[in-house]
């Protein structure tokens, strides 16, 4: 029987070689794409990694030349059924090679080849765009990366966005997210990372907020670290959450008002307020009035249960609801006069002894203090933001913070240390309040002593405290705090504030800011570094301002008329709260100040009608008497 001729010539060998080489190239290209993808995901610590990757690929190609020859010989020697050109069966290696060639020809279509080439180019391009790996130095290590945003997302998560110029060299390929407590200045030795993620020059972490729980992140700072020599090292300046309102359940920002006129009310004469046309009222909430060690209204927050006096809270409920019903918004002032025996955790440890001041520095230097302040702020904001107990749209934390001896006691320290202690407590209250009521405004207050050099008296200049407060808040994540100023005359009994005095001038270095030079304060607050997160001038209210009638009722009335007019023309004041509706007998006895619209017996002073009509069409009628007293028409 005549055997079929084997196609073992040059053409067959070329076809066979093409098939085998095509198979290997396709396989290697696929492996290159997959391997490069893995490379991109897991990262490379240096340019040597990419070189070694490419070298290893080249080595595979070179080594496979031997595999090609081996495959060729095996194919020639392998018996089997051969499919000839007509489709009939035949045995022999040539048939097998032809079959493989046909199969491979089908696989290596133009589309497949294009995909392989395109994938290889994409990987090559991605490798080229990958940020350089950088060796950190002792000088740049702590700020190598930047936390650009630290935000609540979806009301229950915290997203921390991180950027850097290059990828830092370290022990491994990860960034680690750490939590620092309010009172911590570095990663604690026993801290464990909250999360880890592959390094990149633009990446982000997402962790649970756990609002209200003992593991809440609402009052924590966040930082990013890498491992160096087996230890976690921070490479970013810590940042707080800057939108605590992102998890709020209420959004009460106050009513719409035509006037910025407000007053400190007399609880026994609230019925007169509609007649006076008041838009705002301030009201004190001393902690001694509302806290109790047991019973009352229980409130669990941060894993701890706190107790509030039911009778006192219900009195505030009644008061705030009644004011709201009159179209009046409330600015509540939270004051720390809590018993240091019953509630030591609320007061700064250094401030618990050695003072006769009525109010003390809040405590944010340990876990107990942070939780207590957070619980108080959260409870009050939750109750007075739309839950049916009356509403508070403005919260003022502490009174005249720069007046350390008189109103915010802690032992005398340098102004940076003192202000930092207050800033930490303020942010706790801010986050607690805004996490309940997204539209609430939160303020801190300063007195009129601007650059008076008050350290000689044991206090601090308002400008110094304001500057340090602003800088510290911005450094750890800017928020929309407001300023509550008290531009009284200096001394306070100097009712005719417009008269020249060594204490006031119209420069930024003025010792005192009164209503005579209020523009110094508002001009200062227009500086770029003083603005809020949207670039706007912050909310400024004059939460205390007043003039005594001890110099005469018409002098008192003239001073108010001129001050109110200057404030209105200024344009940057959201509310003015006159102190007060009724004279306070203790102020008269201790300071000789009779600041009310009426006497303790209820007699309406001259100022009463001026206050009542100054924002009405009767304004000119009630203020014209003051032109001769002040010496100018206004």
């Amino acid at each position: 029987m005549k055997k079929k001729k084997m196609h073992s010539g040059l053409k067959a060998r070329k076809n066979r070689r093409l098939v085998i080489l095509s198979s290997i190239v396709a396989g290697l290209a696929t492996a290159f794409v997959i391997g490069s993808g893995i490379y991109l995901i897991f990262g490379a610590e240096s340019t040597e990694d990419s070189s070694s990757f490419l070298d290893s690929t080249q080595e595979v190609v070179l080594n496979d030349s031997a595999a090609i020859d081996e495959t060729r010989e095996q194919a020639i020697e392998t018996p089997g059924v051969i499919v000839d050109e007509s489709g009939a069966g035949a045995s022999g290696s040539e048939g097998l090679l032809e079959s493989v060639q046909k199969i491979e020809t089908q696989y290596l279509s133009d589309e497949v080849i294009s995909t392989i080439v395109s994938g290889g180019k994409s990987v090559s391009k991605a490798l080229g765009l990958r940020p350089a790996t950088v060796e950190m130095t002792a000088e740049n290590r702590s700020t190598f990366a930047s936390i650009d945003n630290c935000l609540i997302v979806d009301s229950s998560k915290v997203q921390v966005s991180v950027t850097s110029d290059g990828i830092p060299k370290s022990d491994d390929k990860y960034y680690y997210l750490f939590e620092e407590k309010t009172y911590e200045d570095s990663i604690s030795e026993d801290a464990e990372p909250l999360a880890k993620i592959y390094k990149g020059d633009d990446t982000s972490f997402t962790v649970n907020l756990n609002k209200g729980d003992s593991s809440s992140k609402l009052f924590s700072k966040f930082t990013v670290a890498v491992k160096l020599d087996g230890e976690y090292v921070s490479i970013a300046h810590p940042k707080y959450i800057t939108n605590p309102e992102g998890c709020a359940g209420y959004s009460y920002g106050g009513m719409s008002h035509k006037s910025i006129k407000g007053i400190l009310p007399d609880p026994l004469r609230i019925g007169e307020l509609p007649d006076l046309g008041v838009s705002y009222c301030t009201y004190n909430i001393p902690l001694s009035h509302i806290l109790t060690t047991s019973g009352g209204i229980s409130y669990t927050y941060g894993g701890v249960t706190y107790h509030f006096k039911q009778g006192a809270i219900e009195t505030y409920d009644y008061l705030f609801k009644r004011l709201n019903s009159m179209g009046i918004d409330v600015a509540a002032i939270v004051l720390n006069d809590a018993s240091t025996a019953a509630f030591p955790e609320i007061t700064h440890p250094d401030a618990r002894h050695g003072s006769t001041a009525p109010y003390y520095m809040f405590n944010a230097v340990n876990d107990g203090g942070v939780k207590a302040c957070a619980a108080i702020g959260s409870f009050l904001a939750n109750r007075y933001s739309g839950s049916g107990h009356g509403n508070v749209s403005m919260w003022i934390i502490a009174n005249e913070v720069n007046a350390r001896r008189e109103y915010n006691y802690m032992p005398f320290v340098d102004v940076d240390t003192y202000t930092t202690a207050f800033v930490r407590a303020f942010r706790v209250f801010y986050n607690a309040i805004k996490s309940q009521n997204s539209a609430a405004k939160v303020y801190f207050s300063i007195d009129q002593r601007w650059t008076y050099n008050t350290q000689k008296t044991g206090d601090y200049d308002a400008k110094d405290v304001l500057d340090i407060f602003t800088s510290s808040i911005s450094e750890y994540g800017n928020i929309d705090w407001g300023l509550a100023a008290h531009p009284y005359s200096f001394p306070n009994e100097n009712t005719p504030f417009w008269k020249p005095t060594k204490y006031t001038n119209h420069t930024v270095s003025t010792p005192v800011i009164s209503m005579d030079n209020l523009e110094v304060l508002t001009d200062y607050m227009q500086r770029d570094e003083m603005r809020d997160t949207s670039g706007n001038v912050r909310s400024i209210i004059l939460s205390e301002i007043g003039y005594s009638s001890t110099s005469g009722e018409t002098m008192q009335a003239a001073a108010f008329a001129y001050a109110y007019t200057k404030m209105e023309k200024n344009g940057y004041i959201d509310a003015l709260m006159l102190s007060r509706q009724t004279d306070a007998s203790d102020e008269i006895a201790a300071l000789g100040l009779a600041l009310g619209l009426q006497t303790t017996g209820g007699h309406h002073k001259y100022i009463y009608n001026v206050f009542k009509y100054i924002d009405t069409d009767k304004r000119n009628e009630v203020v014209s008497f003051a032109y001769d007293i002040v010496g100018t028409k206004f």
Side-chain angles (χ1 to χ4, degrees):
M1 180 176 176
K2 188 177 179 179
K3 293 183 179 179
K4 281 194 174 183
K5 185 178 180 180
M6 296 290 291
H7 299 285
S8 56
L10 180 61
K11 181 178 180 181
R13 285 195 295 274
K14 285 182 178 179
N15 289 339
R16 188 163 60 242
R17 193 175 297 118
L18 175 62
V19 170
I20 296 170
L21 286 173
S22 298
S23 301
I24 292 173
V25 169
L28 288 173
T30 303
F32 181 77
V33 172
I34 295 171
S36 298
I38 294 172
Y39 169 85
L40 287 175
I41 293 173
F42 287 90
E45 290 303 309
S46 66
T47 55
E48 287 87 353
D49 289 340
S50 57
S51 298
S52 63
F53 177 77
L54 294 173
D55 290 345
S56 64
T57 304
Q58 183 178 13
E59 184 181 350
V60 171
V61 174
L62 293 174
N63 289 343
D64 273 349
S65 62
I68 292 170
D69 292 337
E70 183 179 353
T71 302
R72 179 182 61 192
E73 296 302 324
Q74 288 178 352
I76 293 172
E77 296 174 1
T78 301
V81 178
I82 297 176
V83 180
D84 61 18
E85 294 176 0
S86 65
S91 62
S93 59
E94 186 175 12
L96 173 61
L97 289 173
E98 289 175 355
S99 300
V100 172
Q101 181 180 356
K102 290 179 180 179
I103 294 169
E104 293 296 338
T105 300
Q106 292 174 355
Y107 282 135
L108 290 174
S109 64
D110 290 342
E111 183 179 352
V112 172
I113 293 172
S114 176
T115 301
I116 293 171
V117 172
S118 176
K121 288 181 177 179
S122 297
V123 170
S124 178
K125 182 179 180 181
L127 287 171
L129 294 175
R130 182 169 174 77
T133 302
V134 179
E135 188 80 54
M136 293 184 293
T137 66
E139 289 74 23
N140 73 5
R141 182 182 299 162
S142 63
T143 56
F144 182 87
S146 174
I147 297 177
D148 294 337
N149 291 297
C150 188
L151 301 171
I152 295 173
V153 295
D154 300 327
S155 75
S156 62
K157 303 285 185 181
V158 182
Q159 187 176 80
V160 182
S161 300
V162 184
T163 59
S164 62
D165 291 330
I167 298 174
K169 285 188 176 182
S170 64
D171 294 356
D172 57 29
K173 302 178 187 297
Y174 296 104
Y175 281 148
Y176 297 89
L177 182 69
F178 277 87
E179 170 191 19
E180 290 181 11
K181 300 297 185 183
T182 304
Y183 44 86
E184 292 178 332
D185 293 314
S186 62
I187 300 171
S188 61
E189 292 184 1
D190 59 347
E192 293 293 332
L194 299 175
K196 68 179 182 179
I197 197 168
Y198 293 113
K199 293 178 194 169
D201 64 342
D202 186 355
T203 188
S204 65
F205 296 87
T206 302
V207 295
N208 290 327
L209 175 64
N210 299 330
K211 174 185 174 181
D213 293 346
S214 58
S215 60
S216 173
K217 306 297 183 290
L218 189 58
F219 310 100
S220 300
K221 301 185 288 285
F222 295 88
T223 190
V224 176
V226 295
K227 268 188 179 180
L228 285 176
D229 300 326
E231 295 184 355
Y232 294 112
V233 176
S234 175
I235 61 168
H237 188 73
K239 293 288 180 69
Y240 287 94
I241 290 167
T242 55
N243 69 329
E245 63 272 13
C247 62
Y250 297 105
S251 184
Y252 179 78
M255 294 172 257
S256 178
H257 301 289
K258 294 180 180 179
S259 170
I260 55 178
K261 187 171 66 180
I263 200 166
L264 176 62
D266 180 345
L268 302 178
R269 294 184 170 95
I270 285 179
E272 295 179 352
L273 296 181
D275 178 61
L276 288 167
V278 171
S279 298
Y280 300 95
C281 280
T282 52
Y283 214 85
N284 293 338
I285 304 183
L287 295 189
S288 64
H289 289 193
I290 63 172
L291 294 178
T292 183
T293 55
S294 62
I297 301 172
S298 299
Y299 185 74
T300 300
Y301 194 83
V304 180
T305 299
Y306 302 87
H307 300 271
F308 297 86
K309 296 176 182 177
Q310 186 163 348
I313 294 299
E314 288 176 351
T315 298
Y316 284 112
D317 294 350
Y318 169 78
L319 175 66
F320 295 160
K321 284 193 292 186
R322 189 172 180 194
L323 290 172
N324 294 160
S325 72
M326 298 173 178
I328 298 171
D329 269 312
V330 177
I333 307 169
V334 182
L335 300 166
N336 179 22
D337 65 344
S339 166
T340 55
F343 308 100
E345 69 277 8
I346 294 173
T347 299
H348 191 288
D350 295 341
R352 294 171 188 168
H353 307 285
S355 173
T356 58
Y359 309 119
Y360 315 103
M361 176 74 79
F362 285 106
N363 177 25
V365 304
N366 54 45
D367 195 54
V370 170
K371 285 184 175 180
C373 292
I376 292 165
S378 178
F379 171 80
L380 291 172
N382 180 274
R383 192 169 184 90
Y384 300 120
S385 298
S387 61
H389 300 97
N391 298 319
V392 173
S393 60
M394 297 176 282
W395 296 91
I396 301 170
I397 308 305
N399 180 60
E400 297 186 353
V401 173
N402 59 299
R404 175 198 70 88
R405 293 182 310 152
E406 295 86 357
Y407 295 116
N408 198 56
Y409 174 76
M410 70 176 288
F412 186 82
V413 290
D414 64 90
V415 65
D416 287 274
T417 300
Y418 174 85
T419 307
T420 297
F422 176 74
V423 168
R424 289 180 171 178
F426 177 88
R427 194 185 284 264
V428 172
F429 274 102
Y430 181 95
N431 282 15
I433 290 167
K434 296 286 281 187
S435 71
Q436 297 293 338
N437 180 7
S438 63
K441 296 181 177 67
V442 188
Y443 302 82
F444 85 100
S445 76
I446 55 175
D447 70 13
Q448 76 273 50
R449 294 174 295 172
W450 184 245
T451 63
Y452 184 67
N453 191 23
T454 49
Q455 290 198 34
K456 64 187 178 184
T457 66
D459 288 332
Y460 307 98
D461 286 348
K463 182 179 180 297
D464 289 341
V465 170
L466 176 61
D467 286 344
I468 296 166
F469 181 96
T470 303
S471 174
S472 181
I473 288 286
S474 296
E475 181 183 1
Y476 288 93
N478 200 11
I479 50 178
D480 293 333
W481 54 270
L483 181 65
H486 297 173
Y488 285 105
S489 299
F490 191 84
N492 286 354
E493 61 269 18
N494 181 34
T495 298
F497 64 83
W498 54 89
K499 292 184 177 180
T501 169
K502 65 180 180 179
Y503 298 116
T504 58
N505 60 61
H506 297 274
T507 71
V508 74
S509 61
T510 180
V512 167
I513 290 179
S514 69
M515 288 304 296
D516 181 54
N517 61 347
L518 181 65
E519 81 284 349
V520 172
L521 176 63
T522 54
D523 287 350
Y524 197 76
M525 294 300 290
Q526 292 176 60
R527 295 187 178 194
D528 289 344
E529 66 271 20
M530 307 303 293
R531 292 176 179 258
D532 68 15
T533 59
S534 300
N536 300 318
V537 177
R538 296 181 183 277
S539 177
I540 305 170
I541 61 174
L542 308 184
S543 55
E544 276 189 41
I545 183 70
Y547 302 98
S548 179
S549 60
T550 50
S551 301
E553 287 190 15
T554 55
M555 181 67 75
Q556 178 195 30
F560 169 75
Y562 188 37
Y564 189 88
T565 302
K566 286 175 67 70
M567 178 204 61
E568 262 194 328
K569 289 180 178 179
N570 179 281
Y572 288 100
I573 305 301
D574 292 336
L576 175 146
M577 316 294 194
L578 184 72
S579 182
R580 55 188 66 236
Q581 183 180 357
T582 304
D583 286 343
S585 54
D586 56 341
E587 280 186 336
I588 296 173
L591 304 172
L593 297 177
L595 302 175
L597 300 180
Q598 56 196 340
T599 66
T600 55
H603 163 70
H604 289 182
K605 302 182 192 176
Y606 196 95
I607 192 177
Y608 189 95
N609 280 343
V610 177
F611 181 89
K612 176 178 177 178
Y613 293 114
I614 197 166
D615 54 354
T616 72
D617 55 8
K618 293 185 177 182
R619 176 196 177 277
N620 292 337
E621 179 184 334
V622 298
V623 304
S624 59
F625 81 96
Y627 300 155
D628 289 338
I629 297 174
V630 176
T632 185
K633 186 174 181 179
F634 53 86

